[in-house]
Amino acid sequence: MFGSAVLDAVVGLVFVYLLLSIICTAANETIASMFSLRGRTLFRGVTNLLADKQIGGLEKLLYDHPLVQSLYRGERKPSFIPASIFAHAFLDGIAPGREDGAAAMTEIRKAVIGLPDDSELKRILLVFLRLSGDDFSKFQESIEKWFDDAMARVSGWYKRQSQAIVLILAFLITGVTNADTFQILADLSSNPALRNAVATQAKEYAGKEWNSATQPPQTFGQNSSSSVGGGGGPSNNQPQATAALKGEETLRKTLASLQQTGIRFGWETMPESWDWLNKAVGLLLTTLAISLGAPFWFDMLDRVIKIRSTGAVPETKTK
């Protein structure tokens, strides 16, 4: 097999990156749950969606609606609002106690026309009324589509916020553990027993199925299975406290796996003055690597393990 020692060292390094990435991800999920970052981001997105110079406090009216109140957990704002619930609560606010079908559209049309002339919301709803005619279902679909499009932008806000937090956590975790890429590679290259043990542990870990719940949901779209703002998959119905507990459990298990590798972590000795540059570069490489996220390194570990198992691909000649 070509370069088995080199491949084992690469497998060990990728495995360490994966474990550190999971720790970073779990810490980020715990922070997001503790400070209700998804709920706050969603509220900011709804506030931006319903902002109107002529009509104030629309977001408060929406969040005070019983349909939305049912999504609260204690005093915490909901971390998701299904598009259908948003549409029902919004339309009930425009024309409360309305009938169904054409009668409902008549009441809604009167309520919309009665809004202030300079209202931005009025202009939007008039467009929806023109597109839907007297079809209540089409009008409701327009409201839901309007909400989903707004939540797609909110997803971008949350992802950028989450990426910034992950980068800061990656920097802190790398510094605390002294996870120097150069030092890790040196230890794996110079110690065959350590290298083989870590490679074996990595192979067993790669055989497990990746649990997407370790990666916190960052999308707010209706059609996403990991949606936070839409009506998607099971992660939508997961309470924030449960998510925090899962993050803490993942953190403990991953720290145990990291200790089992036998690789030296921590600051037992300080580098010489001339060696600080190599140390800084090594720590920076680790920080950037683990900020790529656990799913990336899980996939990378799986690929490297396959290369290690099969060896080099034989060359083929063409006539």
Side-chain angles (χ1 to χ4, degrees):
M1 184 181 293
F2 171 75
S4 60
V6 175
L7 283 175
D8 283 350
V10 172
V11 168
L13 180 62
V14 172
F15 183 51
V16 171
Y17 283 164
L18 171 61
L19 294 179
L20 292 173
S21 297
I22 293 176
I23 292 172
C24 186
T25 301
N28 180 38
E29 175 66 7
T30 302
I31 291 173
S33 300
M34 288 175 58
F35 295 98
S36 303
L37 295 184
R38 294 192 195 93
R40 293 183 180 184
T41 304
L42 177 59
F43 181 75
R44 186 159 59 99
V46 172
T47 301
N48 182 73
L49 176 66
L50 300 179
D52 193 303
K53 296 179 181 178
Q54 301 298 324
I55 309 172
L58 291 176
E59 69 283 352
K60 186 177 185 303
L61 292 175
L62 179 78
Y63 271 75
D64 287 341
H65 194 278
L67 287 173
V68 179
Q69 284 286 320
S70 65
L71 301 176
Y72 272 70
R73 187 178 183 276
E75 297 296 326
R76 288 174 177 259
K77 288 182 174 64
S79 60
F80 73 97
I81 299 177
S84 58
I85 288 184
F86 173 84
H88 288 312
F90 180 79
L91 293 175
D92 188 52
I94 294 177
R98 66 180 185 276
E99 301 293 335
D100 294 329
M105 292 303 297
T106 301
E107 295 297 323
I108 291 174
R109 194 179 301 275
K110 290 180 180 178
V112 171
I113 294 175
L115 294 175
D117 292 336
D118 296 334
S119 170
E120 299 173 2
L121 181 62
K122 180 178 181 177
R123 295 180 61 186
I124 294 173
L125 294 178
L126 286 175
V127 172
F128 294 159
L129 285 171
R130 285 198 300 269
L131 293 175
S132 58
D134 290 330
D135 192 327
F136 176 75
S137 297
K138 289 184 178 179
F139 185 73
Q140 181 175 332
E141 289 175 2
S142 298
I143 298 295
E144 293 179 4
K145 179 75 165 49
W146 178 45
F147 178 75
D148 282 335
D149 290 342
M151 292 303 101
R153 295 190 296 273
V154 175
S155 298
W157 300 351
Y158 187 78
K159 286 180 181 178
R160 287 190 291 271
Q161 181 187 46
S162 182
Q163 287 169 355
I165 295 175
V166 165
L167 188 59
I168 294 173
L169 288 173
F171 176 78
L172 294 176
I173 291 170
T174 301
V176 170
T177 59
N178 188 23
D180 181 354
T181 293
F182 297 147
Q183 184 61 51
I184 295 171
L185 277 176
D187 290 346
L188 292 172
S189 300
S190 61
N191 191 334
L194 174 65
R195 184 173 62 245
N196 292 333
V198 175
T200 301
Q201 186 181 353
K203 186 176 181 180
E204 294 176 355
Y205 203 93
K208 300 178 182 179
E209 183 178 357
W210 169 246
N211 182 12
S212 60
T214 309
Q215 182 74 0
Q218 297 181 345
T219 55
F220 287 73
Q222 172 75 10
N223 297 324
S224 172
S225 61
S226 60
S227 169
V228 182
S235 62
N236 289 334
N237 300 321
Q238 182 184 46
Q240 295 185 23
T242 303
L245 290 175
K246 286 190 175 182
E248 294 175 4
E249 182 183 358
T250 301
L251 193 60
R252 287 194 299 269
K253 290 182 178 179
T254 309
L255 283 172
S257 299
L258 193 64
Q259 292 174 351
Q260 290 174 4
T261 61
I263 297 175
R264 294 181 299 167
F265 291 104
W267 296 86
E268 297 178 358
T269 58
M270 301 300 288
E272 301 292 338
S273 58
W274 55 270
D275 200 36
W276 269 108
L277 179 60
N278 287 336
K279 173 64 68 175
V281 174
L283 294 176
L284 179 61
L285 286 175
T286 305
T287 299
L288 296 177
I290 66 179
S291 66
L292 294 176
F296 173 85
W297 289 113
F298 190 86
D299 181 63
M300 184 63 66
L301 179 64
D302 184 59
R303 296 186 181 189
V304 177
I305 289 293
K306 288 180 180 178
I307 295 175
R308 177 179 178 272
S309 301
T310 58
V313 179
E315 295 182 359
T316 58
K317 295 182 179 180
T318 56
K319 295 182 180 182

